[in-house]
Amino acid sequence: MTSPFRALQRITADRPPVTPVGERCEMCAEPIADEHQHVVNVEGRQLMCTCRGCYLLFTDQNAQLRYRAVPDRYLHFPEFTISQGEWDALEIPVGLAFFFRNSALDRTVAFYPGPAGATESELPLAEWQAVLDRHPELTVLAPDVEALLIRVPERGTGEATCLLLPIDTCYEFVGRMRTLWRGFDGGRDVHDYLDQFFAAVSARARPAPPGGA
C-alpha cells in the first residue's frame, strides 16, 4: 500500500519546475529575457517589449504597418558641424537633444532631457531643413524608430557630435537622466552618466554612409 507521504513525493516529482514570472512579449505574451527587442506603436508612439518572433514581423521599414521594429544600428557622422547660432535657431534651451522623424506628423521633432524627463519641441522647419541641406547624410534616419543625438559643447569648448541611435536607447538614456537629476543643472551624477553614455554609444557606432546612401 502506498502511504500518503509516498504519494505526495511522487506527485511533487512529476510536476515541472516552476518558471519565475518575468517580462512577457506585449504581443503574444511569451516570456522574454531581460535583454530583448522592441517595436514602436507608430500611432500611439509607444515602445513595446517583444519576443524575437514578433519583432521579425515588423522589420520592413518600408511597409505601411502600425508597428515598426526598432533596429540595432549605431552610426556616427564625423563630418557633422553646427554653429552655435544654428543651434540657438532650433530653439532648444540645452546643449543636447534627440531628433526623430515622426511619420504621423510628417515632420522632425526634438526632445531633450531635464528633471521631469523628456521635453518635446517641434522644430522651426526652415532652420532644421538648412541643417539637412548641408548634411544630406542625416537623411539615413529611419522614421519613428531611430533618432539623431546631437551634443553641442559649451560655447567655444569643442566640436558638436552627432550620432544615430535606436529610439529605445534614447528613451532609456532620458529616463536614467531623470532619476539622477539633482538641482538646477542635474548635478555631478548626471554629467558623469552623460560622459559614460557617450563613450559607450560612440564605441558601438560605425561611420555613416556618405550622402545618406
Side-chain angles (χ1 to χ4, degrees), residues 3-18:
S3 70
F5 178 72
R6 293 290 185 187
L8 181 60
Q9 278 187 318
R10 187 176 66 252
I11 293 171
T12 303
D14 290 341
R15 287 179 179 172
V18 176

Side-chain angles (χ1 to χ4, degrees), residues 132-197:
L132 294 181
D133 289 345
R134 197 173 70 256
H135 293 290
E137 66 272 19
L138 300 183
T139 59
V140 73
L141 181 73
D144 303 303
V145 293
E146 294 179 326
L148 297 170
L149 173 55
I150 299 179
R151 184 184 187 186
V152 177
E154 295 181 11
R155 295 176 185 270
T157 61
E159 299 293 333
T161 303
C162 182
L163 299 167
L164 182 148
L165 309 176
I167 196 72
D168 51 3
T169 299
C170 301
Y171 281 122
E172 180 181 353
F173 167 79
V174 172
R176 180 62 175 156
M177 291 277 280
R178 181 173 60 84
T179 64
L180 294 173
W181 199 282
R182 298 292 184 274
F184 178 75
D185 68 346
R188 182 73 262 165
D189 288 345
V190 158
H191 292 283
D192 288 346
Y193 173 67
L194 177 59
D195 291 338
Q196 294 165 8
F197 176 82

Side-chain angles (χ1 to χ4, degrees), residues 21-179:
V21 177
E23 284 202 78
R24 292 184 176 273
C25 174
E26 294 184 66
M27 290 188 161
C28 72
E30 284 293 312
I32 55 178
D34 290 340
E35 295 290 330
H36 53 264
Q37 292 164 304
H38 297 95
V39 302
V40 171
N41 180 334
V42 176
E43 295 177 6
R45 291 180 52 195
Q46 299 167 325
L47 282 176
M48 300 178 66
C49 303
T50 58
C51 66
R52 180 66 176 172
C54 290
Y55 173 86
L56 291 174
L57 296 174
F58 305 104
T59 53
D60 184 353
Q61 296 296 328
N62 295 317
Q64 298 299 310
L65 300 173
R66 179 180 178 182
Y67 302 101
R68 290 182 183 168
V70 179
D72 185 28
R73 182 166 69 156
Y74 292 76
L75 302 176
H76 70 85
F77 301 88
E79 303 300 321
F80 177 81
T81 60
I82 187 168
S83 69
Q84 188 64 53
E86 289 173 314
W87 183 257
D88 292 342
L90 296 176
E91 301 177 5
I92 297 171
V94 296
L96 178 146
F98 298 95
F99 302 80
F100 74 99
R101 184 75 185 175
N102 186 318
S103 61
L105 297 177
D106 192 27
R107 65 177 295 162
T108 299
V109 176
F111 65 94
Y112 50 89
T119 299
E120 190 166 301
S121 172
E122 291 190 4
L123 297 170
L125 292 177
E127 283 74 9
W128 178 245
Q129 188 59 50
V131 175
L132 294 181
D133 289 345
R134 197 173 70 256
H135 293 290
E137 66 272 19
L138 300 183
T139 59
V140 73
L141 181 73
D144 303 303
V145 293
E146 294 179 326
L148 297 170
L149 173 55
I150 299 179
R151 184 184 187 186
V152 177
E154 295 181 11
R155 295 176 185 270
T157 61
E159 299 293 333
T161 303
C162 182
L163 299 167
L164 182 148
L165 309 176
I167 196 72
D168 51 3
T169 299
C170 301
Y171 281 122
E172 180 181 353
F173 167 79
V174 172
R176 180 62 175 156
M177 291 277 280
R178 181 173 60 84
T179 64

